[in-house]
């Protein structure tokens, strides 16, 4: 039965938008447009998601069943923002909840599962893909008898950067469909690889990797990594264009309205799906995006899809409309934001936006200033803690802030990443100390125990013996069983360590684990935690287990944060007791309002009354290792999340160049250590 107003019960009504939502001329043009295919080029804060939600609500109010409308986005956060926009403009909650709002990747997973008949295992972390990458290399070198033009291109397991480079290459190549479009199966030379800007070795390995990924079952792949569902569906659609449908009855029927939010982050695989959705000439389409908010170029995102591609590839006449007026923030922020992107950005906000710049000297100084501003916010708006967000370029920057918030009893929610105290490298240390000190009473949370088991598996390369009760079970299933067996009680951890970790670990790993436990059991006095970490040599474990250089650097920072926190306690028991008490305190505090701590990339499409942007240091933001264009777009996203107040914390000696680009100037320092003016 189709969703929509029911004859048996009073139909939900579309309550008109609140008085403050008075459409501008641009919004009225969008809402009144009779175009079957409409692309909207918007600016930050121009209510593009709200405008798209209004278009959905208008169609629903005129009788369109919710099953006949589909909203596609790039991220889960954007899905949440769209549903919230529906509620804001007056769509009944039960209707908003029933709206078909999903990411391209989740849409692809659903369609493919109908075709394949079963779910395909997802391997979303680089560490879960590493062994398959090396197996693909082995296939190329051994089975395919490749003669490399340059012996120096041979990767080896010691080449720790190869897997990261390969995964980056694969993400972009698959997102752009460059091999399918430019180098079809059967032809690949070093010159052709150079022509698309990639190493020949990487592309040969990618083809072997894809053949490996496709194995294991005649009807579905063995596994999928990030973006692979969208890629697999796009490839199936491309084959279908050459002959046959490619998707059959698995494809959704009777879609009369398709909306795309975050269209600026669309890549070629997503466009293949959109193009197939628009084959039905009855389907009305509207997509919105901002050319200056492309932050996923590494996955092939390209703002050019906002201009011309739909008309060129589908033959649909496409109208383009602007949304260039911001309602989120006032002129004090609109002017520097416009200067930053070198494009017009008008403000129609009824309130102004205050921008405050604060210099700092050290990370601790920055955290102290953030804490003071959070406290002031809580005093001024005690019932609106959720209206404040602290936005970070890297999740490891949360360490000093989390320690400060816990110490001050301030409730916070992390969006898009875990607390550093729950990261695998920290949990491995916590698990070993728990085993060594036998302080099981302070480790009772089942979720934490399960993660400790997973951390041992990750860092120690643990592989499980076949289980007669689970014939043919994969290592993933065997680990899930181990988690169930050992995570019920912390007193099971020593047994797990001895039987499943130490007995099978590489000698170098087992030696370090035993040495660290011995130090933890025997050491006394000041510096015991440092001696424990020195014996464990987590830098070695991090280098062995983690794939991406930035993830390794973050892991070491997390451990330094743990070291700093532990330094204030006389022994491991007191430290663990503090962690347990802090977790309980935060759980209690979060029952009320809590501030948000998030990475910038995870709040695109969202807004907050007050935004705090700390650690603006050259090399940190912008990240010296990231593409300059992506970093600039990310900074633009960050500053334009604020409604009433934006606070920028600048490293006094090395302030981010982005601040000057926007026309902001660092206020004069009045003390030698970055104190506030």
């Amino acid at each position: 039965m189709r969703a929509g107003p029911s004859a048996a019960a009073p139909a939900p009504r579309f309550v008109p938008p609140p008085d403050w939502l008075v459409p501008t001329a641009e919004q009225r043009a969008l809402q009144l447009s009779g175009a079957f295919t409409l692309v909207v080029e918007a600016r930050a804060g121009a209510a593009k998601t709200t405008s798209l939600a209004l278009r959905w609500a208008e169609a629903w109010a005129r009788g369109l069943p919710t099953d006949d409308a589909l909203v596609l986005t790039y991220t889960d956060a954007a899905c949440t923002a769209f549903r919230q926009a529906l509620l804001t403009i007056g769509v009944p909650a039960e209707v908003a909840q029933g709206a078909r709002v999903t990411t391209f990747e989740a849409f692809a997973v659903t369609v493919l599962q109908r075709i394949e008949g079963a779910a395909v295992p997802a391997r979303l972390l680089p560490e879960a893909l590493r062994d398959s990458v090396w197996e693909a290399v082995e296939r190329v070198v051994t089975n395919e008898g490749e003669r490399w033009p340059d012996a120096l291109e041979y990767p080896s397991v010691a080449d720790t950067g190869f897997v990261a480079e390969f995964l980056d290459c694969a993400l972009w190549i698959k997102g752009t469909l460059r091999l399918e479009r430019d180098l079809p199966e059967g032809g690949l030379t070093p010159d052709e690889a150079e022509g698309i800007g990639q190493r020949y070795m990487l592309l040969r390995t990618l083809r072997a990797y894809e053949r490996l990924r496709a194995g294991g079952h005649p009807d579905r792949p063995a596994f999928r990594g990030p973006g692979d569902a969208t890629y697999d569906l796009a490839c199936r659609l491309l084959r279908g264009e050459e002959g046959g449908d490619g998707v059959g009855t698995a494809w959704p029927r009777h879609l009369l309205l398709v909306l795309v939010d975050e269209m600026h982050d669309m890549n070629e695989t997503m466009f293949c799906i959109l193009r197939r959705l628009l084959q039905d000439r009855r389907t009305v389409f509207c997509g919105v995006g901002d050319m200056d908010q492309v932050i996923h170029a590494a996955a092939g995102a390209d703002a050019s899809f906002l201009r011309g591609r739909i008309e060129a590839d589908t033959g649909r006449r496409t109208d383009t409309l602007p949304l260039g007026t911001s309602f989120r923030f006032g002129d004090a922020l609109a002017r520097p934001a416009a200067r930053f992107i070198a494009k017009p950005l008008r403000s129609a906000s009824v309130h102004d936006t205050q921008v405050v710049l604060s210099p700092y000297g050290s990370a601790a100084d920055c955290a102290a200033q953030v804490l003071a501003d959070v406290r002031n916010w809580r005093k001024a708006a005690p019932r609106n803690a959720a209206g404040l967000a602290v936005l970070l370029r890297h999740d490891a920057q949360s360490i000093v802030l989390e320690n400060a918030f816990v110490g001050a009893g301030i409730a916070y929610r992390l969006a898009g990443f875990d607390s550093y105290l729950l990261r695998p490298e920290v949990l491995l240390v916590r698990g070993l100390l728990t085993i060594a000190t036998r302080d099981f009473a302070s480790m009772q949370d089942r979720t934490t125990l399960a993660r400790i088991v997973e951390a041992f598996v990750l860092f120690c390369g643990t592989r499980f013996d076949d289980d007669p009760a689970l014939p043919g079970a994969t290592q993933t299933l065997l680990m899930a069983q181990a988690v169930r067996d050992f995570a019920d009680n912390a007193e099971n951890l020593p047994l797990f360590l001895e039987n499943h970790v130490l007995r099978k670990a590489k000698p170098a790993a087992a030696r370090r684990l035993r040495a660290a436990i011995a130090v933890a059991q025997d050491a006394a006095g000041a510096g015991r935690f440092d001696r424990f970490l020195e014996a464990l040599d987590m830098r070695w474990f991090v280098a062995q287990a983690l794939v991406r250089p930035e993830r390794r650097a973050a892991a070491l920072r997390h451990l330094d944060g743990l070291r700093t926190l532990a330094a204030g306690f006389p022994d491991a028991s007191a430290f663990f007791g503090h962690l347990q008490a802090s977790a309980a305190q935060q759980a209690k505090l979060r029952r009320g309002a809590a501030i948000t701590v998030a990475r910038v990339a995870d709040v695109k499409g969202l807004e907050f009354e007050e935004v705090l942007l700390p650690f603006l240091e050259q090399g940190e933001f912008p990240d010296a290792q990231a593409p300059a264009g992506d970093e600039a777009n990310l900074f633009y996203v960050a500053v334009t999340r604020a409604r009433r107040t934006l606070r920028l914390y600048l490293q006094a000696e090395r302030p981010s160049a982005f601040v000057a680009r926007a026309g902001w100037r660092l206020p004069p320092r009045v003390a030698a250590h970055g104190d506030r003016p």
Side-chain angles (χ1 to χ4, degrees):
M1 180 180 294
R2 287 184 173 181
S6 169
R13 294 180 60 253
F14 175 40
V15 180
D19 293 341
W20 56 261
L21 206 159
V22 179
T24 65
E26 290 177 337
Q27 288 179 311
R28 284 196 298 271
L30 190 160
Q31 293 308 117
L32 297 175
S33 172
F36 251 59
T37 307
L38 181 64
V39 173
V40 180
E41 294 186 21
R43 294 281 182 264
K48 54 182 178 293
T49 300
T50 300
S51 299
L52 203 63
L54 282 168
R55 199 163 178 87
W56 186 98
E58 182 180 356
W60 175 77
R62 292 181 178 181
L64 182 71
T66 55
D67 275 358
D68 289 356
L70 175 66
V71 183
L72 292 169
T73 73
Y74 188 90
T75 64
D76 290 330
C79 293
T80 301
F82 188 87
R83 291 190 189 279
Q84 184 57 51
L86 290 178
L87 296 174
T88 299
I89 63 174
V91 173
E94 63 270 29
V95 176
Q97 187 60 37
R100 298 178 66 179
V101 185
T102 187
T103 64
F104 276 94
E105 183 75 356
F107 173 82
V109 167
T110 299
V111 173
L112 289 170
Q113 188 164 335
R114 292 172 187 159
I115 296 170
E116 296 162 350
V120 171
R123 299 182 186 175
L124 302 181
L125 296 178
E127 291 72 27
L129 299 170
R130 176 180 47 207
D131 289 348
S132 296
V133 174
W134 289 124
E135 186 175 347
V137 170
E138 184 66 20
R139 286 190 176 195
V140 172
V141 174
T142 303
N143 299 337
E144 299 182 12
E146 175 64 40
R147 292 175 59 86
W148 303 113
D150 183 353
L152 293 177
E153 282 199 19
Y154 277 122
S156 69
V157 176
D159 181 4
T160 54
F162 178 80
V163 174
E165 183 184 4
F166 170 83
L167 293 176
D168 288 341
C169 167
L171 188 67
W172 184 81
I173 286 289
K174 290 198 277 188
T176 57
L177 293 174
R178 289 301 298 270
L179 288 181
E180 287 73 19
R181 291 189 305 162
D182 301 340
L183 301 173
E185 185 71 34
L188 178 61
T189 67
D191 287 343
E192 288 172 327
E194 184 179 352
I196 60 174
Q198 297 294 330
R199 287 172 57 191
Y200 176 59
M201 175 63 178
L202 290 172
L203 296 186
R204 286 301 305 270
T205 303
L206 177 57
R207 283 197 168 158
Y209 174 87
E210 285 301 295
R211 286 191 288 271
L212 176 66
R213 192 171 68 82
H217 194 283
D219 299 321
R220 57 180 178 270
F223 63 89
R224 287 194 171 105
D228 277 344
T230 308
Y231 171 72
D232 288 346
L233 181 56
C235 289
R236 185 179 284 270
L237 292 172
L238 288 175
R239 292 193 298 269
E241 291 174 2
E242 297 170 2
D245 183 63
V247 290
T249 58
W251 197 255
R253 306 294 178 182
H254 311 300
L255 285 177
L256 299 180
L257 177 65
V258 172
L259 305 177
V260 173
D261 202 358
E262 295 187 317
M263 197 171 170
H264 48 266
D265 278 326
M266 181 176 288
N267 63 20
E268 198 70 40
T269 61
M270 298 174 191
F271 185 70
C272 278
I273 294 172
L274 178 61
R275 184 172 59 209
R276 176 65 176 79
L277 288 168
L278 298 184
Q279 280 186 4
D280 190 335
R281 295 293 169 172
R282 297 173 301 167
T283 302
V284 175
F285 171 75
C286 181
V288 299
D290 181 348
M291 304 279 285
D292 298 296
Q293 291 195 48
V294 179
I295 62 172
H296 297 288
D302 190 339
S304 67
F305 290 110
L306 284 166
R307 295 185 173 176
R309 279 296 300 277
I310 292 179
E311 187 163 315
D313 284 35
T314 69
R316 283 173 166 249
R317 181 180 178 277
T318 303
D319 288 1
T320 301
L321 291 176
L323 271 180
T325 303
S326 174
F327 297 91
R328 179 179 299 150
F329 42 78
D331 284 335
L333 178 52
R335 288 193 300 271
R339 189 179 299 114
F340 187 82
I341 61 175
K343 295 177 183 176
L345 178 57
R346 300 180 300 278
S347 172
S349 173
V350 296
H351 61 265
D352 204 357
T353 302
Q354 181 186 22
V355 180
V356 180
L357 279 69
S358 299
Y360 70 88
S362 65
D365 176 25
C366 184
Q369 294 189 33
V370 170
L371 178 60
D373 287 328
V374 169
R375 281 173 162 160
N376 290 336
W377 167 267
R378 283 160 53 89
K379 290 177 183 177
R383 298 183 180 180
N384 190 25
L388 182 144
V390 182
L391 303 185
L392 308 174
R393 174 60 184 88
H394 300 288
D395 53 18
Q397 293 171 334
S398 76
I399 298 169
V400 65
L401 295 174
E402 287 187 69
N403 289 346
F405 293 155
V406 168
I410 291 175
Y412 64 94
R413 287 188 178 91
L414 298 174
F417 63 99
D418 288 325
S419 167
Y420 81 94
L421 293 172
L422 294 176
R423 288 305 182 98
E425 54 275 10
V426 172
L427 290 175
L428 178 67
V429 170
R430 292 175 64 182
L432 282 174
L433 285 172
T434 297
I435 292 168
T437 61
R438 306 193 71 79
D439 184 17
F440 302 122
S442 63
M443 188 65 71
Q444 295 299 319
D445 180 69
R446 193 182 189 284
T447 300
T448 303
L449 286 171
R451 290 186 172 190
I452 287 175
V453 172
E454 293 168 353
F456 275 116
V457 172
L458 170 64
F459 284 103
C460 303
T462 301
R463 294 189 66 81
F464 298 96
D465 295 331
D466 293 338
D467 187 342
L470 297 170
T474 63
Q475 284 293 310
T476 300
L477 290 176
L478 291 171
M479 185 177 76
Q481 182 62 47
V483 167
R484 288 191 291 270
D485 291 343
F486 290 97
D488 284 331
N489 190 333
E491 294 186 23
N492 292 331
L493 286 177
L495 186 64
F496 175 76
L497 177 67
E498 192 62 42
N499 291 345
H500 290 278
V501 179
L502 291 174
R503 184 166 62 86
K504 301 174 185 177
K506 294 178 181 179
R511 184 173 62 253
R512 286 172 167 83
L513 294 171
R514 293 187 189 280
I517 290 174
V519 169
Q521 290 173 335
D522 299 337
R528 64 177 66 86
F529 188 61
D530 287 342
R531 294 197 295 277
F532 165 82
L533 289 179
E534 182 179 353
L536 182 59
D537 188 11
M538 272 301 295
R539 186 177 294 273
W540 181 87
F541 282 99
V542 165
Q544 294 289 313
L546 301 181
V547 169
R548 295 193 177 279
E550 64 273 19
R551 176 69 182 92
R552 293 184 200 132
L556 297 177
R557 291 173 70 174
H558 295 152
L559 291 165
D560 283 341
L562 185 71
R563 186 199 307 265
T564 300
L565 189 60
F569 298 89
D571 52 43
S573 180
F575 178 45
F576 288 151
H578 167 75
L579 294 181
Q580 185 179 29
S582 297
Q585 178 200 45
Q586 277 295 314
K588 182 178 180 180
L589 289 172
R590 279 194 290 264
R591 292 171 191 162
I595 67 170
T596 297
V597 180
R599 289 177 300 201
V600 177
D602 293 317
V603 295
K604 189 154 64 72
L606 304 180
E607 62 180 36
F608 304 90
E609 290 297 302
E610 182 157 338
V611 167
L612 280 56
L613 192 56
F615 308 115
L616 292 178
E617 179 179 357
Q618 194 65 16
E620 284 281 321
F621 200 177
D623 185 334
Q625 305 303 317
D630 286 5
E631 290 295 287
N633 289 349
L634 202 59
F635 182 79
Y636 175 68
V637 168
V639 299
T640 55
R641 298 310 94 196
R643 283 175 49 80
R644 295 186 181 275
T645 306
L646 171 66
R647 297 186 183 275
L648 305 174
Y649 304 83
L650 289 73
Q651 212 291 326
E653 303 297 336
R654 300 175 302 280
S656 169
F658 287 157
V659 175
R661 174 171 159 180
W664 288 309
R665 292 289 181 266
L666 181 69
R669 297 173 65 193
V670 297
H673 300 289
D675 296 329
R676 288 178 185 247

